Amino acid sequence: MFRSAPKPSHSTSSTVFGPGSGVAARALDVRKVYGEGDATVAALDGVSIDFAAGVFTAVMGPSGSGKSTLMHCMAALDTVSAGHVFIGDLELAGLGDKQLTKLRRDKIGFIFQAYNLVPTLTAQENIELPLSIAGRKPDRQWFDTVIDTVGLRDRLGHRPNQLSGGQQQRVACARALVTRPDVVFADEPTGNLDSAAGAEVLAFLRRSVDDHRQTVIMVTHDPVAASYTDRVVFLADGKVVDELRNPTAADVLEEMKVLSARSIAGTATGS
Amino acid sequence: MFKVTWHNLIARKVRLALSAFAIVLGVAFVAGSFIFTDALGGAFDGIVKGTTADVEVLPEGAGQADSFGTDARTIPAPLVEELRQLSEAEKVVGTDQVQGVFVISKEGELIGGNGPPGLAFNYNEMTAITGDPILTVADGELPSTRDQVALDVDTATKAGYDIGDEVTLVTPGDPPTMKAELTGLVRFGSEGGLVGATLTIFDDQVIKDLFFEGKDVYTNISLTAAEGVSQVQLRDAVKEVLPQGLEALTGDDFAADQQEIIGTILGFINTFLLVFAAVALIVGTFLIINTFSILVAQRSRELALLRAMGASKKQVNRAVLTEALVVSLVGSTVGLGMGYLLAIGLRALFGFIGLDLGAADMPVELRTVLLSYAVGVIVTLVAAYLPARRASRIAPVQAMRDDVALPETSLRRRFLVGAVMVAVGVALMVTGFAGSGGRGLLLIGLGMLSILIGVALMAPMLGRPIVQALGVVYRRLFGTVGNLATENTLRNPRRTAATSSALMIGLTLVALMSILGQSAKVSTDKAIEESLTAELIVSNATGQFFSTAYADSIRELDGVDSVTAFRQAGAKLANSQVFLQAVEPESLGSALQLPVDGGSLEAFDDQSVFVSSTRAKSSDLAVGDSVKLTFPAGPTEFDVAGIFPVGGAVAGDFLLTLEGLERSGIKPEDSLLFITKKPGADEAVVRSQIEEVLADNPTVTLKNQQEFADEQKDLINRVLYIIYALLGLAVIIAILGITNTLALSVIERTREVGLLRAIGVSRWQLRRMVGLESIAISVLGALLGVVMGIAFGIAMQRAIADQGIDVLSIPWLQLGIFVVLAALAGVLAALLPARRAAKLNVLEAITTE
C-alpha cells in the first residue's frame, strides 16, 4: 500500500549538521530489558545515537524493533536498564520525579498518536497548558507565530470534540512547540489521520524545523511520513541497523523490505 | 454469559469494593438498628420474666402501668396468709417494691439513675415463671436491721463497695438520704442483667417502716403454682378469695402486659433508628446508582462488543444485574457484620443518654438477617437496573467506535421531573402540617423526601452556576490547576450532581436539626426569662423524682420566702397518653407568671385542671368542660378551670393541683422546686443554706435561672448530639460516595492523567486538581443541603410554633461551619483517589486503552 507523494523540495537542502548545531538528544549504549531470568527480552540492545539540534529525524523499524521503546526512554517516559540518555547536556539517569516532570514540561514536547488534548480545555488552553502549569505567561510573539504556523487562529476557542482529527493533531503540535523545547518527540503523529490531514501535520513539523530550528524526533512506520524528514534511523531487534539521509519514500520502502526480509530469515534460521 | 459476568467481577475488584461499600453501610444501619432494639427488648424481657411469678396479685389496674409517678396503693399483708391456705398455691410471697432508691458510690457519684430505675425491695423467695428464684444470695448475709442493706453484685462492684462498708443511698422517702451497712450481695435471677437498674434489698419490716409509714402492706403478692396446677387454675382460685380493689393476673398475662408497655417504648426507639437507617439507605442508593452508572458507562464498549458478538439485550441486562446481585450479597453480608458493630456503638451512644444496657446480649435474629439481605439486594438491583437498561440499548455497531456514549435522558426533562417532584413535595408538606399526629408527620417526611429527590434531579442544572462561581475563585487562587478542576467538575453534570446529592440529603437534615435545636434553645431561654419569677430552682438532672422532704426543709430556711413544688405524672385521656404537671395554686404565682388564655386561676382546686392550648384544641376542650383522666388507680374526673398557652415554663398537657394528683392515687414525689428568697436576703447565703440541705444527694441540685436554662438546653444538646451522630453516618456514606466517584473518574481518565503528566504536570499539581474537584462536589452538596435545611427548618418551626418552639433562630455561624467541614471532608475524600492518580505510571497511563 504505497501512497505516492511528491518529493518535498526542502529535504534537498542540507541543514543536517549546520554550523553551530549541537546535539539535542543522545543515547549512549542504551539497553532496555523486560522480564527476568530465562524470559528476558532485550527491547533495546546497546543503542547509541545522536539526534542533532535543528534536524527532523524519523525512527523506523518493524514491529518489535524497539523504536517506541527508544523514544519512551529518550523522552523520559521510561527508564533504561543500562546506558545513558541525554537531553541537551542533561543526563536523565538519577533524576527524581520532580526533575523529570520539570524536564518534560520545559525541555520536551510531545505529540502522541491519539488522545493528545485535555477534552475539558479549549484549543488555546490546551496549547498554553505546559506554560500555565509552570505558572508562566506565553511569549505573545512566539505564541502567535506557532498559531499562525498551524493555522488555527479561528479555532482557538473550540473544545477538542469540536475539532477534526487533523485539527486536534495540529493543536497538539502547537502545544508541543509553545515552550520552545529542546526536542519534540512525535509518536506516530499521523497514525490516526487520513493522508491529507497527515500531510498537513507533517508539513507543519517540517516548517518548525526549517523556519524555527526546532528538533523533532518522530517514530513512524509510514515511508511517506519518513520522506518528510532529514534523516531516517532504522532499528531492528533493538539495534540501530541502518540510516538514510534526505530519504525519499521509495528509498525508505526499499530499506523496510530488506529489513523485514532479514528479520523473517533470522526467525526462520533460529538464533 | 455467566462466565463473562464472573470474570468482570474478579477483574474489577477495586471498583466493586467501592460500590459494595455503599451497600455495606446502608445494610449495617438497618441491621444495627434491629440488633440494638432486639438487645434492648431481650434485656427488658429478662427483667420482666425474671420478676414475674405464676400469678401476681396487684391493686386493680396497676398492671397496665402506662403512667409514671408511683402508684400509692398497697395490699394489706394478712392477705398473704389467707392465700397460703389455697391448695393450688405452693408458695406465696409478698413484695414491697420501691422505685427511686439510688446508690451513691464511694466517690460520691450516682450509680445508674440516668434513666434506668433504682429498685428496692424486701428480700423474698419468690420463684419467677422462668423457674429461677428472683434473688440468690451471692455473698454475705441478708440485712436484718434498719441500718443494713444488701446490693446486687453489679451495683456493688460499680460503686466500689465491699461487704461491711457503709453505703450511701438516695431514697424517695423521708429522710431523703440514708447510710447503711452492706451485709451481703445478691444476684438477680434473669440472665440479661438489670439493664442498668440498681437493686437494693431491705429487711421486710425495715422497708415497711421506711417507705410505707410502718403499715403492714405489700405492693404486690406473687404466687407459685403447686405441682400440676396451671397459671389459670391458680389465678381462678385466687380470684375467689380476693377482696375488692385487687386483681390477680397470670404470670404470662402480666409479663405480656409489661412487654407491651416496653414494646411501645422500644418501638419508638426502633422507629427513630429506622428513620436514620432510611436516610442512610436513600443516601446509599444514590451512591449505588451513581457507581453502577459510572461502571456501566466505562464498560459500554465492552457491553457493545458483547452485543456485536450476538448477545441479546436481555443477556446484557442480565449480566449487569447478576453482577449487582453478587455485589449486593457480598455487601449485605459484610453489612450485617458491620451492623453488629454498629449496634455496639449504639449501645454506647444510648448509654450516654442513660439507657445503660450493660453487657446485654446482642441477638442477631433471623428476621434481622433476612431483612438486611432483602434491603441490600433490592436496593442494589433497583439501583443497577436503570444503568443496565441503558447499557443494553447500546447498538452493536457502537462497539467499533472509539468513544461510546450511553443514551441519556436530556437534562431538561430531568429538570422538569425534578420540578414536579418538588411541587408534589411542597403539597405533601402543606397537607402534613394541616393534619395531625403520625399521619401528618408521615406526610411531612414524604414531602421532604420528594423535595429532596426533586432537587437532586434538578441538581445538574442548579449546581452549574454554583460550580462556575467556585471556578472563578479556583482560577484566581490555583490558576490552571483550578481551571482543570472546575472543568472536570462540570464535564459530567449528572455524576457531579448525583454525588453531591448524597451529601446534600445528609446536610439538609443536619441543618434542619440545628435550626430546630437552636430555635428550641432560644425559645427555652425566652420562656424562662419571661415567665419565671423564682430566683432559684431545685431539680434533678437525671429526671428522677425526689423526696418531698427537701421542699419541707427548704421552706424552714431563714432567707427563703416561698417554695413551689412541681410534680409530674402521666395519665390516659381517652386513648392517648398525656403528660401532667401539678403545683400548689397558692404558691404558683410566686414561682412563675402563668399567662392564662381562658378561665381563671381563682377557680383552680383539687377538682379542676388547666389544659394547654394545644391539648385543648386537639381534644376539643373548653373552660367548664369536664375531663376524665385515667390513672393506674382508676379514672378521675376534673373540670377544666382554664387554658394556658404552650411555650411558657409549664410543659405538658394538663396542670393539676398537688391535691388533685394525690386524689388520683399518685404518690407525692417532687420533680422541681421553685424558690424565691425574702427581700433583702443575701442570695449567696440562701444558696449555701439550700445546698447544705441537698448536700448528701448528688442527683438533686440547686440552680439559678441561667443555670436552669442551661440545664434545659443541655438536654436539647444531648438529643441533638445523638441525632448528629446518627446523621453523621449518612454524611460518612456521602463522603465515601465522593471518594468512590473520584476514584472511578480517575480510572476513567487514566489516559488524560498520563497526558497531563507527560506534558509536565507534577504529582502534587495532579493531587491538588483531584482535591479541588472533590471540594467543589462537597461544597456544592453542602450549599444545596444548607439552603434546603434552612427552608425546611423555617417551615417546621412555623408549623410547631404553638408547641413551645415559638422563636425562629438560625445558627448562621454553625451552618457556615458545616459548609467548611464539608469542604474539609472533600479534602479527605480526595486523598486516596488523588494518591492513585499521582502514582500512575506515566507511560502505562498514556498507553492504556
Side-chain angles (χ1 to χ4, degrees), chain A residues 2 12 24 39 42 60 65 78 83 86 97 106-107 124 152 176-177 211 225 229 237 249-250 259 261:
Chain A
F2 186 81
T12 51
M60 299 194 76
S65 61
D78 205 351
F86 299 87
D97 185 72
D106 301 336
K107 306 274 185 199
Q124 175 159 4
L152 280 169
L177 287 165
D211 300 350
T229 63
D237 299 330
L259 282 179

Coordinates of all heavy atoms in Angstrom, one line a residue, chain A residues 2 12 24 39 42 60 65 78 83 86 97 106-107 124 152 176-177 211 225 229 237 249-250 259 261:
Chain A
F2 N 1.2 1.7 -1.1 CA 2.2 2.8 -1.2 C 1.4 4.0 -1.7 O 0.8 4.0 -2.8 CB 3.3 2.4 -2.2 CG 4.4 3.4 -2.3 CD1 5.4 3.5 -1.3 CD2 4.4 4.3 -3.3 CE1 6.3 4.4 -1.4 CE2 5.3 5.3 -3.4 CZ 6.3 5.3 -2.4
T12 N 16.2 18.5 0.2 CA 17.5 18.5 -0.5 C 18.4 19.5 0.2 O 19.6 19.3 0.1 CB 17.2 19.0 -2.0 OG1 16.5 20.2 -1.9 CG2 16.5 18.0 -2.8
A24 N 20.9 17.6 20.4 CA 19.7 17.9 21.2 C 19.4 16.7 22.1 O 19.0 16.9 23.2 CB 18.5 18.2 20.3
A39 N 13.2 -15.6 30.8 CA 12.2 -14.9 30.0 C 12.7 -13.5 29.5 O 11.9 -12.7 29.0 CB 10.9 -14.8 30.8
A42 N 15.4 -8.3 25.3 CA 16.0 -7.0 25.2 C 15.3 -6.2 24.1 O 15.4 -6.5 23.0 CB 17.5 -7.2 24.9
M60 N 12.5 4.4 12.5 CA 11.6 3.3 11.9 C 12.1 1.9 12.2 O 13.2 1.8 12.7 CB 11.6 3.6 10.3 CG 11.1 4.9 9.9 SD 10.7 4.9 8.2 CE 9.2 4.1 8.1
S65 N 10.9 -3.8 16.9 CA 12.3 -3.5 16.7 C 12.8 -2.6 17.8 O 14.0 -2.5 18.0 CB 12.4 -2.7 15.4 OG 11.6 -1.5 15.5
D78 N 10.2 6.5 30.2 CA 10.6 5.2 30.7 C 12.1 5.2 31.1 O 12.8 6.1 30.7 CB 10.4 4.2 29.6 CG 10.1 2.8 30.1 OD1 10.3 2.6 31.3 OD2 9.8 1.9 29.3
G83 N 23.2 2.0 30.2 CA 23.5 3.0 29.3 C 23.1 4.4 29.7 O 22.6 4.6 30.9
F86 N 20.8 11.5 27.2 CA 21.0 12.9 27.5 C 19.9 13.7 26.7 O 19.6 13.4 25.6 CB 22.3 13.4 27.0 CG 23.5 12.7 27.7 CD1 24.0 11.5 27.2 CD2 24.0 13.2 28.8 CE1 25.0 10.8 27.9 CE2 25.1 12.6 29.5 CZ 25.6 11.4 29.0
D97 N 11.4 12.3 40.3 CA 10.2 12.6 39.6 C 10.0 14.1 39.4 O 9.5 14.5 38.3 CB 9.0 12.0 40.4 CG 7.7 12.2 39.6 OD1 7.5 11.5 38.6 OD2 6.9 13.1 40.0
D106 N 9.5 21.7 30.4 CA 10.2 22.8 29.9 C 11.1 22.4 28.7 O 11.4 23.3 27.8 CB 11.1 23.4 31.0 CG 10.4 23.9 32.1 OD1 9.2 24.2 32.0 OD2 10.9 24.0 33.2
K107 N 11.6 21.2 28.6 CA 12.6 20.9 27.6 C 12.1 20.0 26.5 O 12.8 19.8 25.5 CB 13.8 20.2 28.3 CG 14.4 21.0 29.4 CD 15.4 21.9 28.9 CE 16.2 22.6 30.1 NZ 16.8 23.9 29.6
Q124 N -6.9 26.8 22.8 CA -5.9 27.8 23.3 C -5.4 27.3 24.6 O -4.2 27.3 24.9 CB -6.5 29.2 23.4 CG -5.6 30.1 24.0 CD -5.9 31.6 23.7 OE1 -6.9 31.9 23.0 NE2 -5.0 32.5 24.1
L152 N -4.5 27.9 13.1 CA -5.7 27.5 13.9 C -6.3 28.7 14.6 O -7.1 28.6 15.5 CB -5.3 26.6 15.0 CG -5.1 25.1 14.6 CD1 -4.4 24.3 15.7 CD2 -6.5 24.5 14.3
A176 N 3.1 21.3 21.7 CA 4.5 20.7 21.8 C 5.6 21.8 21.6 O 6.6 21.7 22.2 CB 4.7 19.5 20.9
L177 N 5.2 22.8 20.8 CA 6.2 23.7 20.4 C 6.2 25.0 21.2 O 7.2 25.8 21.2 CB 6.0 24.1 18.9 CG 6.4 23.0 17.9 CD1 5.9 23.3 16.6 CD2 7.9 22.9 17.9
D211 N 12.0 26.6 9.6 CA 11.8 28.1 9.9 C 12.3 28.4 11.3 O 12.7 29.6 11.6 CB 10.4 28.5 9.7 CG 9.9 28.3 8.3 OD1 10.8 27.9 7.5 OD2 8.7 28.4 8.1
A225 N 5.6 9.4 5.6 CA 5.8 10.3 6.7 C 7.4 10.5 6.8 O 7.9 11.6 7.0 CB 5.2 9.8 8.0
T229 N 11.4 13.8 6.5 CA 12.4 14.1 7.4 C 13.8 14.3 6.8 O 13.9 14.0 5.6 CB 12.5 12.9 8.4 OG1 12.9 11.7 7.7 CG2 11.2 12.7 9.2
D237 N 15.5 -5.5 16.0 CA 15.9 -6.3 17.2 C 16.7 -5.5 18.2 O 17.7 -6.0 18.8 CB 16.8 -7.5 16.7 CG 16.0 -8.4 15.7 OD1 14.8 -8.5 15.9 OD2 16.6 -9.0 14.8
A249 N 10.4 8.4 -0.2 CA 9.5 7.4 0.3 C 9.9 6.0 -0.3 O 9.9 5.0 0.4 CB 8.1 7.7 -0.1
A250 N 10.4 6.1 -1.6 CA 10.8 4.8 -2.2 C 12.0 4.2 -1.6 O 12.0 3.0 -1.3 CB 11.0 5.1 -3.7
L259 N 14.8 -5.0 5.5 CA 14.8 -5.3 7.0 C 13.9 -6.3 7.4 O 14.2 -7.2 8.2 CB 14.5 -4.0 7.8 CG 15.7 -3.0 7.9 CD1 15.2 -1.8 8.7 CD2 16.9 -3.6 8.6
A261 N 12.6 -8.7 5.5 CA 13.1 -9.9 5.0 C 14.2 -10.5 5.9 O 14.1 -11.7 6.2 CB 13.6 -9.7 3.6

